[in-house]
Amino acid sequence: MTEEISKLCVTCGMCCDGSLFRHGHLFDQEDIDLAKGLGLEVVENEGFKMPCKFFDGKCSIWTSEKPKICEKYFCKPLKRYLNGDIDFDEASIKVKNLITVKEKMLIESRQFEEFNGFTLVQVCDKLDNCNPENLKKYGFLHLIRLDLNTKLRNFFD
């Protein structure tokens, strides 16, 4: 089971790459001090900024000391798999479906210079805050966002 958990996490990584979260939770002062010592950008009352600088397709400090959230966080598909509510294949499908729409959103967003280098969360934030004149310009991205929202609901259900 440990091998499957690792495989699912390495396949995904969206909890670390800035796709799902803006910040990694820090539990206490010891955690805050550790994050700062690692050179992570800490935002008071929010945690360390995502994407994590130690994530490059997988965690580069997994065997080292790291913030507690890095070991405590389990996404919903992984939790459901561990509880026996779904099998590994179903958990993998949920992850793959979300990754597919994430990649589609990032690929399509790159046709606009203002989105270059953005994470999924940053693209979505920009879309949420775009003015009415840009609704037409980013229309296709808004459609992908609707699909993304559906996949996210399914991912976290």
Side-chain angles (χ1 to χ4, degrees):
M1 185 177 280
T2 303
E3 186 177 312
E4 288 178 324
I5 293 169
S6 181
K7 182 178 178 184
L8 194 64
C9 288
V10 169
T11 300
C12 183
M14 288 187 286
C15 57
C16 302
D17 73 0
S19 292
L20 298 177
F21 306 109
R22 289 168 185 81
H23 300 92
H25 180 73
L26 296 169
F27 288 90
D28 51 31
Q29 190 59 49
E30 180 182 328
D31 226 15
I32 292 168
D33 293 342
L34 174 61
K36 287 180 178 178
L38 289 169
L40 296 170
E41 186 179 345
V42 175
V43 177
E44 190 173 335
N45 298 322
E46 293 186 24
F48 63 92
K49 280 191 156 189
M50 292 292 190
C52 179
K53 75 179 207 171
F54 295 107
F55 184 78
D56 186 22
K58 64 180 183 173
C59 181
S60 63
I61 62 165
W62 184 250
T63 58
S64 304
E65 192 173 17
K66 57 199 161 296
K68 294 176 186 90
I69 193 66
C70 301
E71 293 184 15
K72 293 182 181 273
Y73 179 75
F74 290 94
C75 66
K76 191 73 171 210
L78 188 53
K79 284 181 187 174
R80 292 187 64 214
Y81 168 66
L82 293 171
N83 289 336
D85 298 331
I86 60 175
D87 63 20
F88 181 76
D89 290 338
E90 189 174 345
S92 295
I93 288 168
K94 285 182 174 284
V95 168
K96 287 176 186 167
N97 285 341
L98 191 55
I99 288 170
T100 299
V101 74
K102 167 199 157 183
E103 289 172 351
K104 183 176 183 180
M105 175 69 95
L106 291 175
I107 288 166
E108 293 299 328
S109 70
R110 289 199 174 86
Q111 68 180 301
F112 303 100
E113 186 177 314
E114 59 268 34
F115 288 105
N116 284 338
F118 277 28
T119 65
L120 183 63
V121 166
Q122 291 168 327
V123 171
C124 292
D125 284 349
K126 186 161 177 82
L127 290 174
D128 288 344
N129 295 309
C130 76
N131 57 38
E133 64 194 41
N134 284 333
L135 287 176
K136 185 175 180 182
K137 177 180 179 182
Y138 303 135
F140 189 62
L141 292 178
H142 285 287
L143 292 175
I144 298 171
R145 175 76 187 276
L146 291 173
D147 187 30
L148 173 66
N149 289 343
T150 301
K151 299 282 191 301
L152 282 168
R153 275 193 302 279
N154 187 36
F155 185 78
F156 286 111
D157 281 344

